[in-house]
Amino acid sequence: MSSPALTRYLAFRRSLPPRPPLEALTVRARGLDFAVYRTPAVAGTLPLLCINGGLIFDHSLLWPALAPLAAHRQLILYDQRGRGRSQIPPGMGASRIEFDAGDVPALRDALGIAQWDVLGHSWGGGIAMLATALDVERAPDAVRRLVLANAVGVTSRWLPPLHAAGLARLAAAGQREDHERLAALDEHALHQPGIAHHAAYARAYFPAWFWDQQFARNVNPPLGSSETGSHVVARLRREGYDWTDRLRDLPVPTLVVHGAADVLPLSEAEHTVATLGRARLVAIPEAGHNPFWEAPDHFFATVNAFLAERDTG
């Protein structure tokens, strides 16, 4: 069976120049050592901070996936606290996404960057929204532009239906083994921390994030390994969240780009746009949760065009 999304992706990848090098450094912020990674600087442009989602994963969830953006600007990625090579925080059991958000302005300061653009994917979009709201309160020009790629919603109302939506996606695609693997796992166990179950669930759910199931079968599921992250996501699932008041009328031009076939529904992106105020939505057809894979031409052209726009005040 042919895979239109995989065909598009391979053609796009063949058109790219060689991938730029990624420099690794350690940055101290808020009493922790963070692993930070950056591509070469591009004169006349602001750096773009890229925040990965997943909460139990490190920066490799977005690298080299977002490498095409480095042709036009410096990319900065990092491992969130307690993920990858970044230091595990004391009192790990108290970890929450708000702490991750607070780290972002501190990293900007520690790197000596006065202004940057920010991109967040999935749960990283939640971190990006919260971090931007924090940063512009104390430094109005700190974030010039914000990109939210298939970001989580501004409330947790999308979370309870997600398990059933994933099962339905796999059943409709005739992916019997994937469906059985996901159905065998208890979604309610995710309300408690523990990386073994969270990692197993993430691997089982992985194919459901794709519009093109043949593409999904050609991608190895990422390996989540952060106990810290399992505490963060368990709290979010257990307690829910509502960031509406914090994010209403965010004074930063924002692009909300969303694969129209994502199991995280497009209606959440529409609600985010309505909440933020200075946001616009671009829905990408024939793409699920990772449009930079399934529809790379559309995704990268849209993001690059938005970041290249001149600000009008």
Side-chain angles (χ1 to χ4, degrees), residues 20-312:
L22 197 63
E23 176 193 12
L25 58 154
T26 300
V27 177
R28 186 79 173 171
R30 305 225 296 174
L32 297 173
D33 289 330
F34 287 88
V36 176
Y37 307 86
R38 61 189 180 190
T39 61
V42 177
T45 67
L46 293 177
L48 175 66
L49 177 72
C50 301
I51 307 176
N52 65 274
L55 296 180
I56 61 172
F57 301 97
D58 64 19
H59 77 284
S60 62
L61 214 57
L62 289 184
W63 182 266
L66 296 187
L69 294 173
H72 303 285
R73 65 197 63 251
Q74 181 182 54
L75 304 189
I76 298 176
L77 304 97
Y78 73 104
D79 294 337
Q80 294 146 27
R81 56 170 57 204
R83 286 78 148 191
R85 296 183 179 275
S86 288
Q87 186 177 346
I88 297 172
M92 181 176 60
S95 297
R96 53 193 314 126
I97 198 170
E98 289 81 2
F99 298 167
D100 294 319
D103 292 335
V104 175
L107 281 170
R108 183 182 60 77
D109 287 342
L111 288 164
I113 296 172
Q115 186 183 52
W116 58 13
D117 296 322
V118 176
L119 180 153
H121 174 245
S122 192
W123 278 115
I127 295 172
M129 286 188 281
L130 293 171
T132 297
L134 285 171
D135 212 1
V136 299
E137 282 183 2
R138 63 189 186 89
D141 296 327
V143 179
R144 186 188 68 102
R145 289 188 167 234
L146 175 63
V147 177
L148 302 174
N150 287 73
V152 299
V154 297
T155 77
S156 58
R157 66 182 184 180
W158 60 276
L159 262 173
L162 194 66
H163 183 76
L167 289 171
R169 166 67 54 84
L170 297 174
Q175 304 295 344
R176 181 178 176 181
E177 291 184 7
D178 291 335
H179 183 277
E180 291 178 351
R181 188 177 299 113
L182 180 60
L185 293 173
D186 180 10
E187 64 167 320
H188 298 293
L190 299 173
H191 290 189
Q192 301 302 321
I195 189 56
H197 186 75
H198 281 265
Y201 188 88
R203 286 177 64 83
Y205 199 94
F206 183 71
W209 291 116
F210 287 78
W211 166 74
D212 185 331
Q213 287 297 301
Q214 291 303 310
F215 194 130
R217 301 189 81 81
N218 283 275
V219 182
N220 292 323
L223 300 176
S225 60
S226 172
E227 197 70 55
T228 303
S230 79
H231 281 273
V232 175
V233 71
R235 184 183 302 278
L236 287 162
R237 285 182 171 272
R238 183 174 64 248
E239 299 178 0
Y241 68 89
D242 187 343
W243 303 326
T244 304
D245 289 342
R246 276 187 254 180
L247 299 178
R248 185 179 286 114
D249 299 327
L250 188 69
V252 175
T254 301
L255 171 68
V256 178
V257 58
H258 203 93
D262 194 357
V263 287
L264 199 170
L266 185 62
S267 59
E268 288 302 317
E270 294 168 343
H271 182 60
T272 297
V273 168
T275 301
L276 298 187
R278 295 193 66 187
R280 73 181 77 159
L281 173 63
V282 174
I284 298 184
E286 297 186 345
H289 197 60
N290 304 293
F292 41 78
W293 285 338
E294 292 189 281
D297 290 281
H298 195 166
F299 176 83
F300 287 108
T302 298
V303 173
N304 278 324
F306 173 74
L307 293 175
E309 289 177 7
R310 292 187 177 183
D311 296 318
T312 57

